[in-house]
Amino acid sequence: PLILRQQAEHNGDGEFLVTDTARITFAQADTISDSLAAGLEQLGVGKGDIVSLFLANRPEMVLLALAVNKLGALWTPINGDYKGQWLLDNLQMARSKVLITDDSYQQRIAEIEDQLEVEHIVLLAEPGASALKKSTPYTELLTHAPVSRDYSTMRYGDNCAILWTSG
């Protein structure tokens, strides 16, 4: 988070993330991830908590990972091929406080929603398009005012993510 903040201050208009559909500067990434961090904090995410990201490859995934790390929490990506019991087992092993998914994966989450032990599910989808019984819209996270944080206690060697591998 500190490096992003420094880049936003010294190279704010520089391109941080460029895709076929989005161009995000360092300043925008810092501001958006500050808002997302405030929204996640409102959901109870704090230092040491785990947030699962079951998302398609999209810019929001990067911004969410930054937001999670700004809180001193950890993010874990969930393989997009997982479904059913395999998906449920992975989410239970992750012990996530929050699960963030999108419209491309929400049906798979809906199938196991009653068995999940997460406190909140955040859905990145068009309004009214939810197959889930209960979810928080991603856009709601963005409504929080960006909060500047003190990163002086964070170290480069701090854990920031849990990456599941096959070996």
Side-chain angles (χ1 to χ4, degrees):
L2 182 57
I3 293 172
L4 178 59
R5 174 74 29 87
Q6 290 170 343
Q7 285 286 44
E9 290 170 358
H10 301 291
N11 186 23
D13 292 334
E15 292 180 331
F16 168 75
L17 181 66
V18 178
T19 71
D20 291 342
T21 59
R23 292 182 105 65
I24 301 171
T25 67
F26 284 102
Q28 290 170 326
D30 192 43
T31 300
I32 293 168
S33 60
D34 277 347
S35 290
L36 290 169
L40 289 168
E41 191 171 45
Q42 191 71 29
L43 293 180
V45 176
K47 185 174 178 67
D49 288 329
I50 299 169
V51 175
S52 288
L53 303 177
F54 189 45
L55 299 164
N57 191 12
R58 55 192 311 157
E60 292 89 351
M61 186 169 188
V62 174
L63 298 169
L64 284 159
L66 291 168
V68 168
N69 289 154
K70 286 183 173 193
L71 297 171
L74 295 89
W75 56 275
T76 184
I78 305 298
N79 187 316
D81 289 334
Y82 291 175
K83 58 186 172 184
Q85 190 63 44
W86 201 359
L87 174 59
L88 179 62
D89 288 347
N90 192 262
L91 288 168
Q92 287 175 332
M93 284 187 289
R95 289 177 274 168
S96 300
K97 182 172 262 191
V98 173
L99 165 63
I100 303 175
T101 194
D102 60 24
D103 49 356
S104 62
Y105 296 123
Q106 69 171 314
Q107 188 58 47
R108 291 189 213 171
I109 297 299
E111 292 169 5
I112 61 170
E113 185 175 7
D114 291 336
Q115 300 169 71
L116 290 175
E117 298 172 3
V118 297
E119 293 180 19
H120 299 279
I121 299 174
V122 174
L123 179 60
L124 202 163
E126 293 296 321
S130 181
L132 302 168
K133 293 176 186 167
K134 186 175 180 189
S135 63
T136 300
Y138 170 83
T139 52
E140 189 175 302
L141 300 181
L142 290 170
T143 63
H144 291 77
V147 176
S148 184
R149 300 174 188 284
D150 175 16
Y151 301 123
S152 64
T153 61
M154 288 186 175
R155 302 288 174 250
Y156 293 108
D158 290 350
N159 291 330
C160 68
I162 299 170
L163 305 176
W164 301 90
T165 69
S166 61

